[in-house]
């Protein structure tokens, strides 16, 4: 299980274990990972409260359904998309069916020697593409 994989994940694992984590779930009753808090209620209200707190950015890892919900609620301030130089030929759509059109403004690009590109976008509702 991830929290116990510090040996395999090294410095990154230590960093992730140290961060405060907010787990959005409709099925869990408790979370065991250190520095974790369970969010079961009104996602819009709870995430809005988190955004008002001082501290670092709120990041979402590995939850398409949560990202879609946050997009629908207009709670995303920045999108960081990592493009890897690999074509898989199949997989889930990044932005699935049923989402309203969102217009974004490119604010930063970073290219790594591996060929990975990180594209940073901000919502830009004034411009319609």
């Amino acid at each position: 299980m991830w929290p116990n994989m510090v040996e395999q994940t090294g410095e990154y694992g230590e960093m992730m274990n140290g961060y405060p984590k907010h787990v959005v779930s409709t099925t869990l009753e408790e979370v065991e990972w250190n520095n974790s808090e369970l969010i079961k209620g009104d996602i819009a209200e709870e995430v809005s409260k988190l955004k008002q707190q001082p501290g670092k950015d709120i990041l979402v890892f590995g939850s398409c359904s949560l990202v879609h919900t946050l997009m629908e609620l207009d709670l995303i301030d920045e999108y960081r998309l990592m493009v890897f130089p690999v074509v898989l030929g199949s997989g889930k759509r990044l932005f699935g069916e049923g989402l309203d059109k969102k217009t974004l403004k490119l604010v930063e690009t970073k290219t790594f020697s591996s060929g990975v590109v990180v594209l940073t976008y901000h919502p830009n509702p004034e411009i319609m593409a």
Side-chain angles (χ1 to χ4, degrees):
M1 190 165 204
W2 170 258
N4 302 315
M5 294 180 56
V6 175
E7 232 177 81
Q8 295 89 337
T9 58
E11 189 176 313
Y12 181 76
E14 287 181 31
M15 177 186 69
M16 288 301 292
N17 281 336
Y19 277 134
K21 291 163 280 298
H22 304 276
V23 179
V24 178
S25 177
T26 57
T27 59
L28 291 175
E29 293 301 322
E30 62 182 50
V31 287
E32 296 178 11
W33 196 355
N34 65 312
N35 298 327
S36 294
E37 180 181 318
L38 183 61
I39 296 175
K40 290 185 67 88
D42 183 336
I43 293 173
E45 181 181 336
E46 295 299 321
V47 171
S48 293
K49 284 182 197 174
L50 287 173
K51 288 178 68 168
Q52 299 304 313
Q53 295 178 7
K56 298 188 180 214
D57 295 337
I58 300 170
L59 306 174
V60 176
F61 288 98
S63 178
C64 289
S65 60
L66 176 57
V67 169
H68 290 177
T69 299
L70 296 174
M71 287 177 69
E72 289 170 356
L73 297 170
D74 287 322
L75 289 172
I76 297 179
D77 299 318
E78 183 172 278
Y79 296 83
R80 291 183 195 158
L81 307 177
M82 295 178 72
V83 180
F84 291 80
V86 176
V87 177
L88 298 177
S90 65
K92 278 187 171 181
R93 288 179 56 166
L94 180 60
F95 302 107
E97 299 292 327
L99 288 174
D100 291 336
K101 180 178 179 178
K102 301 285 184 191
T103 306
L104 306 175
K105 177 181 179 183
L106 182 65
V107 295
E108 184 178 12
T109 61
K110 288 183 184 175
T111 303
F112 296 91
S113 60
S114 62
V116 173
V117 179
V118 177
L119 305 167
T120 303
Y121 292 93
H122 288 174
N124 193 7
E126 298 84 35
I127 304 296
M128 294 304 292

